């Protein structure tokens, strides 16, 4: 504890800031102090921060303070307490090795952790550019769904973020599917070109929770200080993450440029039908999709010992009849991510990857921009 710290703040404001910072605390910290949240008061500003050498998070809120100072307190406990406090102003006082919290008739006294052992948060790298916060959250969610979950293969757990002047491309793959999304942004300097690999879970979480302000600032270290860090900042909140040091696949070579046939699917109806039929698809068995002019028939199950299901759905289909199998979860993930009422699915053959994309809608300027989102999905070989 550096010195006595004392402040008052509205409960919701404190609870929100603590909850946001606590999300990035490590579940099993390598050293006890990393389970802490650092509270730091300067003037009328309180910063609530956490750092585990991988991810840092820092929220700033206005408080009425009578004493500047800082304290390191157990983060998850603080989050649970602030969330449960009654709807009254909260008074927080650091006294010696303890932190006193009082709110209405509730009083808590928490042990503090040694603040001098806490690592200093990385400084924000230089600003690379600015993106609309809702658009960024949507784009990251659409791509992160395809990222791998196996930490022994770091390349597959990341989202590749490529910047080419005023365009950003995100891509992720777990080898069974590949999601790619492009969007426009405002770079800090024109002609900027960069490509980094960001841990998917961290990026998705940050993008989803930085939507309180209209824009998100992306910061990237370009050599020198802060090497290998991506910074994201929104209104009163900022987070940094260490970048993955791995090669990403040459994904542009995997995306087919042409197709032999395609279907236009009503996303809602097709999704509901696929969910119903997939109920009998035993773990690891495919959903069979039979495309013919005007309709698709979905089937699953099929051996005498299992349940069986089939359902037809009207679609526009252009090409020779095609029967193709998919992992139902991977197909449903893609359908949930296109975010359009109709989706287009392009096929080369029954054994080659299919590509799902949002059916092109004209932009605000009336111009149709083909496929800013593409979700490639590997087929599953069908029995017989």
């Amino acid at each position: 504890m550096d010195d006595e710290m004392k402040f008052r703040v509205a409960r919701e404001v404190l609870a929100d800031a603590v909850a946001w910072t606590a999300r990035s605390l490590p579940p099993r910290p390598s050293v006890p102090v990393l389970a802490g949240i650092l509270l730091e008061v300067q003037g009328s500003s309180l910063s609530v921060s956490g750092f585990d050498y991988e991810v840092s998070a820092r929220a700033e809120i206005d408080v009425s303070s009578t004493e500047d100072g800082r304290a390191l307190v157990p983060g998850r406990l603080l989050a649970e307490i602030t969330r449960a406090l009654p709807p009254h102003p909260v008074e927080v006082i650091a006294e010696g090795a303890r932190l006193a919290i009082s709110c209405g008739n509730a009083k808590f006294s928490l042990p503090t952790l040694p603040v001098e052992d806490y690592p200093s948060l990385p400084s924000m790298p230089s600003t690379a550019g600015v993106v609309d916060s809702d658009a960024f959250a949507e784009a990251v969610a659409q791509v992160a769904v395809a990222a791998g979950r196996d930490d022994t293969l770091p390349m597959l757990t990341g989202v590749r973020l490529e910047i080419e002047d005023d365009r950003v491309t995100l891509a992720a793959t777990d080898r069974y599917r590949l999601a790619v999304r492009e969007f426009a942004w405002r770079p800090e300097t024109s002609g900027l070109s960069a490509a980094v690999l960001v841990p998917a879970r961290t990026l998705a979480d940050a993008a989803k929770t930085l939507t309180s302000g209209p824009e998100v600032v992306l910061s990237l270290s370009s050599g020198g200080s802060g090497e290998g860090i991506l910074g994201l900042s929104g209104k009163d909140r900022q987070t940094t993450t260490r970048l993955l040091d791995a090669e990403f696949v040459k994904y542009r070579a995997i995306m087919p440029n042409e197709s032999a046939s395609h279907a236009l699917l009503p996303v809602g109806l097709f999704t509901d039908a696929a969910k119903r039929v997939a109920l009998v698809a035993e773990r690891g068995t495919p959903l069979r999709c039979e495309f013919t002019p005007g309709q698709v028939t979905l089937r699953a199950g099929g051996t005498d010992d299992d349940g069986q299901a089939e359902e037809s759905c009207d679609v526009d289909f252009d090409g020779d009849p095609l029967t193709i199998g998919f992992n139902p979860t991977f197909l449903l993930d893609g359908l949930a991510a296109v975010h359009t009422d109709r989706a287009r699915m392009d096929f080369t053959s029954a054994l080659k990857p299919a590509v799902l994309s949002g059916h092109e809608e004209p932009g605000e300027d009336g111009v149709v921009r083909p496929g800013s989102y593409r979700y490639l999905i590997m087929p599953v070989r069908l029995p017989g």
Side-chain angles (χ1 to χ4, degrees):
M1 185 71 50
D2 277 14
D3 33 18
E4 307 295 299
M5 172 181 73
K6 191 172 181 180
F7 64 87
R8 275 174 77 88
V9 63
R11 183 201 73 101
E12 307 78 64
V13 176
L14 179 64
D16 280 354
V18 170
W20 185 76
T21 301
R23 283 175 15 265
S24 56
L25 292 177
R28 291 175 296 282
S30 51
V31 283
V33 287
L34 298 184
I37 280 183
L38 183 64
L39 302 176
E40 207 160 359
V41 173
Q42 270 187 324
S44 61
S45 176
L46 166 71
S47 78
V48 182
S49 50
F51 180 43
D52 67 351
Y53 294 109
E54 298 275 331
V55 178
S56 79
R58 178 187 174 112
E60 297 214 355
I61 55 176
D62 292 333
V63 296
S64 50
S65 124
T66 45
E67 288 285 342
D68 288 2
R70 53 189 200 141
L72 185 65
V73 286
R76 294 203 191 284
L77 183 58
L78 182 66
E80 286 172 1
I81 289 171
T82 52
R83 189 172 62 226
L85 289 173
H88 296 291
V90 183
E91 185 168 67
V92 178
I93 305 173
E95 303 160 321
R98 298 192 77 79
L99 186 83
I101 301 173
S102 54
C103 176
N105 297 329
K107 289 182 172 51
F108 290 88
S109 170
L110 303 185
T112 61
L113 299 160
V115 74
E116 59 279 0
D117 295 347
Y118 199 68
S120 39
L121 268 70
S123 51
M124 262 311 190
S126 52
T127 296
V130 178
V131 61
D132 174 89
S133 61
D134 290 330
F136 184 61
E138 178 186 48
V140 170
Q142 285 181 307
V143 169
V145 70
R149 312 277 190 272
D150 181 358
D151 290 325
T152 59
L153 298 165
M155 180 272 281
L156 301 177
T157 63
V159 169
R160 181 173 168 93
L161 183 143
E162 292 175 7
I163 298 166
E164 279 302 333
D165 199 18
D166 64 349
R167 302 294 295 169
V168 177
T169 306
L170 302 177
T173 181
D174 60 4
R175 288 191 301 211
Y176 304 105
R177 60 252 176 95
L178 161 70
V180 181
R181 170 69 201 269
E182 284 183 34
F183 56 90
W185 80 321
R186 295 203 315 277
E188 186 78 355
T189 52
S190 65
L192 180 65
S193 178
V196 294
L197 193 59
V198 191
R201 265 188 301 240
T202 309
L203 182 64
D205 203 35
K208 189 170 67 193
T209 57
L210 284 174
T211 51
S212 57
E215 294 177 331
V216 171
V217 177
L218 268 63
S219 309
L220 264 183
S221 50
S222 49
S225 66
E227 181 79 351
I229 285 182
L230 170 76
L232 299 168
S233 37
K235 186 170 133 271
D236 312 328
R237 292 178 178 183
Q238 59 182 51
T239 183
T240 64
T241 176
R242 204 168 60 84
L243 298 171
L244 292 167
D245 185 17
E247 271 301 299
F248 195 69
V249 293
K250 305 266 185 288
Y251 69 92
R252 285 190 167 85
I254 302 169
M255 271 291 174
N257 292 324
E258 52 213 30
S259 63
S261 56
H262 73 268
L264 292 180
L265 314 165
V267 174
L269 294 171
F270 184 73
T271 299
D272 290 346
K275 281 181 178 168
R276 282 189 287 269
V277 175
L279 293 172
V280 299
E282 292 292 317
R283 192 182 160 80
T285 62
L287 183 68
R288 183 185 180 99
C289 305
E290 299 167 12
F291 288 93
T292 52
Q295 76 167 15
V296 58
T297 302
L298 304 173
R299 300 180 202 273
T303 62
D304 293 341
D305 302 338
D306 296 331
Q308 296 170 19
E310 70 168 71
E311 184 168 344
S312 297
C313 180
D314 291 344
V315 300
D316 294 339
F317 180 72
D318 188 2
D320 293 332
L322 174 85
T323 297
I324 189 166
F326 294 114
N327 171 310
T329 305
F330 296 167
L331 178 63
L332 289 165
D333 282 348
L335 289 165
V338 293
H339 299 171
T340 49
D341 294 335
R342 291 181 12 118
R344 178 180 168 119
M345 200 164 200
D346 283 280
F347 309 97
T348 315
S349 79
L351 298 177
K352 292 232 170 81
V355 179
L356 193 61
S357 54
H359 183 47
E360 295 119 31
E361 308 288 345
E364 285 173 11
D365 51 8
V367 177
V368 172
R369 287 181 181 73
S372 65
Y373 179 64
R374 286 161 299 159
Y375 180 90
L376 176 143
I377 174 169
M378 301 295 284
V380 179
R381 199 178 278 276
L382 292 166

